[in-house]
Amino acid sequence: MPENFRSQAVTQGVQRAPNRAMLRAVGFSDHDFTKPIIGIANGYSSLTPCNIGLNQLATTAEAGIVDGAGMPQMFGTITVSDGISMGTEGMKYSLVSREVIADSIETVSQAQSMDGVLAIGGCDKNMPGAMIAIARLNIPAIFVYGGTIKPGHYNGQDLTIVSAFEAVGKHSAGRIDQAELTEIERQACPGAGSCGGMFTANTMSSAIEAMGMSLPYSSTMAAEDAEKAESAKKSAQVLVEAIHKQILPRQLLTRKAFENAIALTMAVGGSTNAVLHLLAIAHTAGIELSLDDFETIRKRVPILCDLKPSGRYVITELHQVGGAPQVMKMLLEHDLFHGDALTITGQTIAEVLADVPAQPPTNQNVIRPWDNPLYPQGHLAIMKGNLATEGAVAKVSGIKNRQIQGGARVFESEEDCLDAILAGSINPGDVLIVRYEGPKAGPGMREMLAPTSAIIGAGLGNSVGLITDGRFSGGTYGMVVGHVAPEAAVGGAIALVHEGDTITIDADTQKLHLHVTDEELESRRANWQPPKPRYTSGVLAKYAKLVSSSSVGAITDLGLG
């Protein structure tokens, strides 16, 4: 057993007596000073069902570390609830929380010279925040996902939180009454766990499993099932072994690992936010990754899973038929997955998947067989054009009209757009522009789940387009384009769109075009003035000053090195 732990400094020399005295006060005895000290970054919070069950997992992991002859030290990190803050000013803090989570885990782990870190998270930004910290620290680490929520039920239908957002649109359009809206609200979220479709939380947990940074099957387990606690304990024991073997995150977070994560994200129909987060994690890990890489992989990888929001099934049903490993094995069998990529267990991906069947079970429709995919190509299309010269991201699965050309309806905020939809003033063929919601202008790239769900609820999902420099929830679907870069705040073309301008969104050619001459655009740009910052102090002001373009992951440390 190696004795080169970072925390070993507390055991050496007379001058370290005060360090040991402090640790004795929190439960260390003489023999504990020879063990690796392992931080447990606990995202527990009663703010959201995503995180309410994490404390139990943290204490279970704590016991697993002790069983593995490690010494756990638990500390808290934050979360905000995307679902609760959605559609409000508070949603501006969501993406910002990714950086706060990363900074807090880095700060504690470095300040206390942790030998390893086990991060536990649930809500959307917990996963990428933890992974950014893990990549920065480059000490042995593992991620434990809090688990997915079980579906609610109403009138024979599985419900998720998106069902409630869409019900608002249906109610405003007169398609359901108040009693049905209230019942859907009551039934949508029956207990603990992250939102139940292949939304951002489940997308990122699956991507982390594909990168080898969490245990097999852990990304699709239900939060309230016993196997989730068992997996948390096993994760802790695996981490202790990784510390002794010195398996480091940057040995796992390779180019191949990111390609695996992208391939799985495409195959399961994952969230647009995966693009933003994987770019950010790759930057921190020192891996070159660009928007073009997503488009390259998208064209090769079919969509194999029929999952909400655009599909029929929820994550608990995916888990029952093989979870992420089943999809990974299918990709591996068709040379679309790197089997030689390493995992935190010390095994390769191929070794981890050795006993997984090459084909999914035949008595189910959640995972389609390889020769009958849901769609022949991936769904996260990288769009470019004079309206997004750096790029934008569209989720193109489940849409019937793959090209929309229409007149622009311009809104300077999410709230203004939502009001217009609920008022019934949006018509088929309109292309909605929601701008000044980008990383800098928002700041924080709010998710447009309220307006996009209202569009679906009003029955306009196949006839109305929406373009924004903000983001979308993993629960969004339809002809919507986000992450438009450059954003409006820095003079991107989205800032220059006028009411009534003709715009084309083409999912087949990945074109996003504003039908205005270059000369007219330059004339408009000459008359454009950047907006004053919406915040001049506090975390949002700091974020707006530091944040980069969404085309490189909306990171806050670009160019600091």
Side-chain angles (χ1 to χ4, degrees):
M1 182 181 297
E3 298 296 339
N4 58 341
F5 304 131
R6 296 203 316 160
S7 59
Q8 197 74 7
V10 301
T11 71
Q12 295 172 353
V14 174
Q15 73 273 22
R16 296 303 181 187
N19 306 69
R20 296 195 295 273
M22 294 286 286
L23 290 170
R24 290 182 193 279
V26 297
F28 279 61
S29 58
D30 287 346
H31 69 281
D32 292 327
F33 291 112
T34 63
K35 300 175 182 177
I37 296 178
I38 301 172
I40 300 175
N42 182 3
Y44 165 75
S45 170
S46 60
L47 285 172
T48 172
C50 309
N51 290 49
I52 199 167
L54 299 190
N55 210 44
Q56 180 182 352
L57 297 182
T59 55
T60 301
E62 191 174 41
I65 290 171
V66 171
D67 289 348
M71 201 60 190
Q73 288 198 299
M74 194 182 301
F75 61 93
T77 186
I78 69 153
T79 195
V80 298
S81 172
D82 286 12
I84 295 172
S85 64
M86 195 75 69
T88 74
E89 194 79 357
M91 187 63 193
K92 294 180 178 181
Y93 287 87
S94 172
L95 187 58
V96 176
S97 75
R98 184 187 77 179
E99 309 307 305
V100 178
I101 292 165
D103 291 349
S104 67
I105 295 174
E106 177 196 359
T107 298
V108 175
S109 299
Q110 290 285 50
Q112 305 306 125
S113 300
M114 299 293 187
D115 295 301
V117 63
L118 182 148
I120 305 179
C123 200
D124 291 11
K125 306 311 171 294
N126 297 181
M127 279 70 76
M131 289 301 300
I132 289 169
I134 286 168
R136 286 181 192 167
L137 291 165
N138 201 33
I139 59 175
I142 196 167
F143 183 79
V144 174
Y145 181 42
T148 186
I149 196 171
K150 294 181 178 180
H153 302 284
Y154 178 71
N155 275 352
Q157 299 293 317
D158 286 343
L159 299 180
T160 69
I161 185 59
V162 174
S163 306
F165 280 95
E166 291 179 1
V168 172
K170 290 178 181 178
H171 180 263
S172 69
R175 299 171 64 195
I176 61 173
D177 59 20
Q178 180 64 45
E180 185 168 353
L181 171 60
T182 300
E183 198 59 29
I184 291 171
E185 175 221 308
R186 286 174 175 159
Q187 303 299 329
C189 297
S194 298
C195 299
M198 189 51 75
F199 310 150
T200 303
N202 287 315
T203 299
M204 290 310 300
S205 69
S206 299
I208 291 169
E209 185 174 327
M211 289 192 286
M213 292 299 303
S214 63
L215 293 190
Y217 300 99
S218 64
S219 66
T220 54
M221 292 175 178
E224 296 180 328
D225 284 353
E227 65 176 346
K228 175 46 67 177
E230 293 167 6
S231 178
K233 186 171 185 179
K234 177 65 174 176
S235 297
Q237 295 167 342
V238 166
L239 176 58
V240 176
E241 287 301 311
I243 291 170
H244 291 307
K245 296 175 182 176
Q246 281 300 287
I247 300 173
L248 303 179
R250 293 197 186 186
Q251 294 171 332
L252 310 182
L253 296 174
T254 61
R255 170 77 184 197
K256 290 181 178 180
F258 283 97
E259 290 181 355
N260 284 349
I262 296 169
L264 183 64
T265 298
M266 296 294 177
V268 299
S271 167
T272 53
N273 284 306
V275 178
L276 199 72
H277 299 324
L278 290 173
L279 286 171
I281 299 166
H283 167 79
T284 307
I287 301 299
E288 289 189 10
L289 194 70
S290 72
L291 287 176
D292 292 339
D293 294 316
F294 287 83
E295 185 61 25
T296 298
I297 294 172
R298 181 191 75 82
K299 291 177 178 177
R300 298 200 304 255
V301 176
I303 300 178
L304 298 171
C305 299
D306 189 6
L307 298 169
K308 290 180 182 291
S310 59
R312 294 178 290 172
Y313 300 102
V314 294
I315 300 306
T316 52
E317 292 169 300
L318 173 63
H319 187 66
Q320 291 165 6
V321 297
Q326 178 63 76
V327 183
M328 291 160 62
K329 183 60 174 277
M330 295 169 70
L331 294 169
L332 180 64
E333 288 287 303
H334 291 84
D335 297 322
L336 293 170
F337 221 69
H338 298 290
D340 58 343
L342 292 175
T343 74
I344 188 62
T345 65
Q347 298 173 291
T348 65
I349 288 285
E351 290 170 337
V352 168
L353 300 177
D355 295 330
V356 176
Q359 292 295 329
T362 57
N363 59 343
Q364 54 82 41
N365 295 307
V366 184
I367 305 175
R368 303 283 281 269
W370 189 265
D371 58 2
N372 185 29
L374 198 64
Y375 301 99
Q377 292 184 324
H379 62 302
L380 298 181
I382 305 303
M383 308 194 83
K384 293 186 178 181
N386 67 346
L387 196 51
T389 54
E390 290 180 12
V393 183
K395 184 187 284 188
V396 297
S397 59
I399 57 173
K400 294 181 180 178
N401 297 325
R402 297 182 64 81
Q403 183 185 89
I404 290 181
Q405 182 171 299
R409 299 291 307 278
V410 180
F411 301 96
E412 309 298 330
S413 72
E414 176 187 2
E415 289 87 350
D416 290 346
C417 179
L418 180 61
D419 288 346
I421 298 166
L422 296 180
S425 63
I426 302 302
N427 300 308
D430 286 345
V431 177
L432 312 185
I433 299 290
V434 186
R435 63 192 181 193
Y436 296 107
E437 291 284 6
K440 287 186 176 294
M445 293 185 78
R446 284 195 291 183
E447 294 179 350
M448 304 289 129
L449 182 58
T452 58
S453 296
I455 289 170
I456 297 294
L460 296 169
N462 292 313
S463 59
V464 166
L466 189 149
I467 299 170
T468 181
D469 50 9
R471 295 182 296 128
F472 296 118
S473 162
T476 291
Y477 62 103
M479 184 59 98
V480 294
V481 184
H483 307 194
V484 168
E487 64 172 295
V490 298
I494 192 171
L496 311 177
V497 179
H498 286 181
E499 187 84 7
D501 283 347
T502 299
I503 294 175
T504 297
I505 308 172
D506 192 325
D508 292 321
T509 63
Q510 291 89 58
K511 294 295 183 184
L512 193 62
H513 188 68
L514 173 64
H515 293 266
V516 171
T517 65
D518 292 343
E519 292 77 14
E520 174 62 19
L521 275 180
E522 287 307 311
S523 175
R524 293 181 186 183
R525 183 170 281 110
N527 293 316
W528 174 81
Q529 293 293 325
K532 293 181 179 179
R534 286 173 167 161
Y535 298 85
T536 56
S537 63
V539 67
L540 291 182
K542 289 188 285 187
Y543 181 85
K545 188 172 183 178
L546 290 172
V547 70
S548 69
S549 169
S550 60
S551 64
V552 292
I555 53 180
T556 54
D557 57 358
L558 186 66
L560 295 182

